[in-house]
Amino acid sequence: MATGIKDKVAILGMGCSRFGERWDAGTADLLAEAFTEAMADAGIERRQIEAAWFGSCMDAVNVGNSAIPASMALRLDGIPVSRVENMCATGTEALRSAAYAVASGAVDIALAIGAEKLKDTGYGGLPSPFKGTLNDLWLNLGSAPAGFAQLAAGYRHKHGISPERLKQALAHVSWKSHENGALSPKAHLRKKVSMEQILNAPMIAEPLGLFDCCGVSDGAAAAIVTTPEIARALGKKDIVSIKAIQLAIGSGVESSTDQWDGASVRTTRLAAQRAYAEAGIDDPRSQLDLIEVHDCFSVTELVTMEDLFISPEGQAVDDILGGFYDRTGGGVPCQVDGGLKCFGHPIAASGLRMAYEVYTQLLGRAGERQISSPSVGLTHNLGGVPFQGIAAISILGLHS
């Protein structure tokens, strides 16, 4: 019977590039930036890495569809390097692959790294078309803002929330992220924004205004993983271990049947249930100390609070407006680094960037944005659209 990977894998080191419009750097430079920090943090030599997984989503506009660009950039000579892609969950997929390799005993030390360079494409958002004939068939007239704005309509209808109150909650989500992002040296956007600016911004897809939408970015992030025993043997004292990694992928149930209520993301709920079971968490509201979620849009973050079973059904609006998810609100701080809203979304890097923030917080290294004594944190990625997508969840914690 499967036992999961709880506490079988430790994070030996992590690194993260500065995110933004990185005209000064190519993809190889971003990979090297994240990798160099991770290696220094891990305190190992390149020859000790036995396998690597490289996340890259936008192959047609980025570095190609093999792992060779990563092995060249990082001089990973002669070891197995695999390219993985799972839409916006690509970074977490790379981490999952490396963690499973260590947990299985196949290798002692593995690398997960993800990078994307999207500002060079000339698009203000994601390049289009970009994901092949399936998306051309199902989403040919769609857009990311429109796809996620549907959540707002579904949520309002299901829970009887007025448009005005929902808009206030969405604005608070964005305001909170900008407050936190201002304290994150590696974030793309580091300016605070007032509630008035957010509420009066141009509309993109009702009710999502300009500040309700994250942008694209250039960036990379990396994790080096091993076993807790090897980490200790290498001199590590404060060890962060992986408590769970779970993915759930839609099969078309939501998009081709009447089994989606339009107010939640089914794959997130499935992945969360499995992740909590693997990590031994039965009350996430009290047991999680911080979370980094896929806030591609402010409404996505709001709905995710219920999909992660932290806010009760229909009460995420109250929790958000009450400050439960604020960095200093006394609840479960969300997007302590500013999230996708302030980092932007270089797709394959985002999941690992979230893990980097949780890891940094758990080790007490977050400087001005450090929260008080965290011991367990969660990351959440969401790829595709609410009615046809991928959810990935990782739970990290201090290893006893």
Side-chain angles (χ1 to χ4, degrees):
M1 182 176 179
T3 59
I5 64 168
K6 180 183 179 183
D7 291 330
K8 296 178 182 178
V9 181
I11 298 179
L12 193 58
M14 291 202 74
C16 183
S17 76
R18 182 174 61 81
F19 281 35
E21 295 183 342
R22 296 295 306 272
W23 309 117
D24 61 319
T27 305
D29 299 302
L30 297 175
L31 287 166
E33 194 174 320
F35 179 69
T36 300
E37 182 184 356
M39 289 290 287
D41 186 28
I44 62 171
E45 298 179 12
R46 195 187 317 258
R47 61 179 175 77
Q48 292 174 271
I49 296 175
E50 299 173 272
W53 280 264
F54 166 51
S56 171
C57 186
M58 298 295 184
D59 55 286
V61 294
N62 192 15
V63 293
N65 58 4
S66 80
I68 292 174
S71 64
M72 289 180 64
L74 307 179
R75 295 296 186 262
L76 300 174
D77 186 40
I79 68 169
V81 183
S82 302
R83 177 182 178 267
V84 295
E85 188 275 318
N86 222 342
M87 299 189 79
C88 298
T90 296
T92 303
E93 184 69 87
L95 179 60
R96 185 175 77 116
S97 300
Y100 278 17
V102 167
S104 73
V107 299
D108 286 335
I109 298 177
L111 168 70
I113 191 163
E116 217 82 60
K117 188 143 175 47
L118 296 178
K119 300 307 294 185
D120 291 4
T121 67
Y123 286 89
L126 297 177
S128 179
F130 66 93
K131 293 306 293 180
T133 55
L134 178 67
N135 274 23
D136 290 345
L137 175 64
W138 284 90
L139 301 172
N140 62 321
L141 297 178
S143 69
F148 282 88
Q150 292 182 56
L151 279 174
Y155 189 87
R156 279 196 311 241
H157 174 75
K158 181 177 180 179
H159 299 297
I161 307 294
S162 71
E164 295 76 19
R165 185 165 174 77
L166 181 63
K167 186 63 177 174
Q168 283 287 335
L170 298 182
H172 188 96
V173 166
S174 299
W175 171 83
K176 167 182 61 63
S177 291
H178 279 278
E179 289 288 306
N180 295 340
L183 304 177
S184 295
K186 295 184 178 183
H188 185 162
L189 304 177
R190 299 195 60 207
K191 291 184 178 180
K192 295 184 178 182
V193 180
S194 70
M195 288 287 287
E196 183 180 18
Q197 285 177 287
I198 296 169
L199 289 168
N200 293 325
M203 191 63 65
I204 304 299
E206 199 282 329
L208 303 178
L210 179 65
F211 289 100
D212 293 303
C213 309
C214 88
V216 298
S217 188
D218 303 332
I224 297 171
V225 295
T226 188
T227 66
E229 293 75 19
I230 293 173
R232 287 195 187 94
L234 290 170
K236 297 291 181 179
K237 295 180 180 178
D238 298 322
I239 295 175
V240 173
S241 62
I242 296 174
K243 307 296 182 180
I245 299 183
Q246 292 288 338
L247 269 74
I249 301 181
S251 63
V253 168
E254 301 94 335
S255 57
S256 57
T257 73
D258 61 359
Q259 295 184 38
W260 183 52
D261 63 7
S264 61
V265 179
R266 178 172 170 268
T267 50
T268 295
R269 296 191 176 210
L270 293 172
Q273 288 169 335
R274 294 203 296 264
Y276 293 146
E278 186 173 28
I281 290 175
D282 54 23
D283 183 9
R285 190 177 177 94
S286 66
Q287 290 174 273
L288 294 175
D289 296 312
L290 75 155
I291 56 177
E292 289 280 320
V293 305
H294 203 87
D295 58 322
C296 49
F297 302 96
S298 54
V299 70
T300 319
E301 179 175 328
L302 184 149
V303 169
T304 298
M305 299 304 96
E306 295 180 19
D307 290 339
L308 292 176
F309 309 104
I310 300 173
S311 287
E313 285 283 328
Q315 295 183 32
V317 168
D318 294 338
D319 278 343
I320 287 168
L321 291 174
F324 184 80
Y325 296 106
D326 291 1
R327 183 169 49 85
T328 57
V332 181
C334 181
Q335 322 300 51
V336 182
D337 61 354
L340 272 69
K341 184 65 186 67
C342 291
F343 271 80
H345 185 24
I347 297 173
S350 290
L352 283 161
R353 187 271 304 161
M354 294 177 184
Y356 177 84
E357 177 63 19
V358 172
Y359 172 81
T360 301
Q361 289 281 344
L362 292 174
L363 293 177
R365 302 174 178 176
E368 288 184 272
R369 67 184 186 280
Q370 181 66 47
I371 65 173
S372 178
S373 303
S375 60
V376 180
L378 174 147
T379 75
H380 161 265
N381 285 136
L382 187 63
V385 287
F387 52 86
Q388 184 180 301
I390 301 160
I393 290 176
S394 67
I395 298 176
L396 311 179
L398 294 176
H399 189 76
S400 56

